[in-house]
Amino acid sequence: MFAGEIKELWRYPLKGLRGESLRSAVVDFDGLAGDRLFGVFEPGSDKAVWGGSHPKLMGWEAAWPAQCGCADAVSGEPVLYEPGGAAWGADEAGLPERLAETVDAEKGVEIRKVKRDYGRMLVVFEASVRKLSEQLGRDIDAMRFRPNVIVDADLEPFAETALEPGLAIRLGEHEFTLQKPCERCVLPSWDPNGANVRDKDLHKHIITELGNHFGVYVRISEPVTIKVGDAIAA
């Protein structure tokens, strides 16, 4: 049906912030190890402070302390980096105040672990990113879609979202299951680097021309390791 290879791997320790590039990663029932384990919330509530409501969040980065690009680099608390480069431990006392100040969160913020029933991994195809850029007449950064995996495969642009759920997809030596296309929220329309600039034409195009889908979710039950350069096939 198609074949190709993994070009990039990404994880986002803190939802809403930019993430870190990896060379390899462990994936299991909970998703990609260390991915989206923490969230930003209004103090004392379950109301999320996220990139769609506070786009300046994406000016911050989050990474696990051992930034070696290794699959086993998830331990302790993540480190957050301000737009200017200053580093904060996720449990530092002054971090919530500083983060709220820089992202215009007037009610303040708190960082805590998120609850999830199971994990899933978002795969984006380079051919679709290239075609989307062509359709809009400008380069579209794949990071707008916050993928875990970017692949280059011999599949027609956007065809991945029409694949049948339940399809077996091999990443490296491991068989994943296609769960469903990714239904997009407003987030891809905001600058992925925290510039607080919105591309409304992109948002409209995704809704009207692509059925509001971009990328696909896959999952696996047992722990496996995938790497940049691994083959992908279905």
Side-chain angles (χ1 to χ4, degrees):
M1 187 176 296
F2 68 83
E5 70 171 314
I6 296 175
K7 304 298 287 189
E8 298 180 41
L9 289 172
W10 289 86
R11 71 176 165 211
Y12 310 86
L14 205 76
K15 295 181 69 172
L17 278 64
R18 295 204 312 276
E20 58 181 337
S21 175
L22 306 173
R23 297 299 301 172
S24 64
V26 170
V27 189
D28 61 15
F29 184 77
D30 292 324
L32 191 146
D35 186 57
R36 295 172 172 93
L37 293 187
F38 292 83
V40 185
F41 300 88
E42 288 187 0
S45 82
D46 290 328
K47 185 175 181 180
V49 176
W50 65 294
S53 63
H54 294 77
K56 290 183 180 179
L57 273 174
M58 291 179 283
W60 284 68
E61 296 180 20
W64 293 98
Q67 292 190 53
C68 61
C70 301
D72 60 352
V74 180
S75 61
E77 300 287 329
V79 175
L80 279 62
Y81 299 90
E82 292 189 29
W88 293 81
D91 55 355
E92 281 193 56
L95 174 61
E97 181 179 356
R98 179 59 179 163
L99 182 59
E101 174 189 5
T102 59
V103 304
D104 302 329
E106 296 178 358
K107 295 182 180 180
V109 302
E110 64 182 24
I111 296 170
R112 62 176 185 264
K113 285 191 174 182
V114 299
K115 299 177 182 179
R116 58 185 185 183
D117 295 327
Y118 63 86
R120 56 192 182 191
M121 189 169 70
L122 179 60
V123 181
V124 164
F125 287 65
E126 283 191 337
S128 296
V129 178
R130 289 193 295 266
K131 186 64 175 181
L132 182 60
S133 299
E134 178 185 318
Q135 290 176 337
L136 289 167
R138 58 185 181 277
D139 286 339
I140 300 299
D141 189 345
M143 301 315 297
R144 285 182 177 272
F145 302 100
R146 303 180 71 78
N148 295 119
V149 186
I150 300 177
V151 302
D152 186 15
D154 55 359
L155 191 65
E156 289 297 314
F158 314 126
E160 63 273 14
T161 58
L163 296 174
E164 191 71 22
L167 176 71
I169 297 179
R170 293 192 67 81
L171 295 173
E173 299 300 317
H174 313 292
E175 188 172 291
F176 287 71
T177 301
L178 176 65
Q179 186 180 30
K180 63 178 182 177
C182 178
E183 185 173 356
R184 306 310 316 200
C185 63
V186 68
L187 191 61
S189 67
W190 288 102
D191 181 272
N193 297 306
N196 203 26
V197 176
R198 188 177 176 196
D199 188 339
K200 293 183 180 180
D201 289 339
L202 171 61
H203 186 55
K204 180 179 179 181
H205 187 88
I206 292 171
I207 293 173
T208 61
E209 302 300 324
L210 304 180
N212 203 30
H213 291 134
F214 200 90
V216 293
Y217 288 118
V218 301
R219 60 179 302 193
I220 196 167
S221 296
E222 70 277 9
V224 301
T225 298
I226 59 174
K227 303 181 296 297
V228 171
D230 275 353
I232 178 171

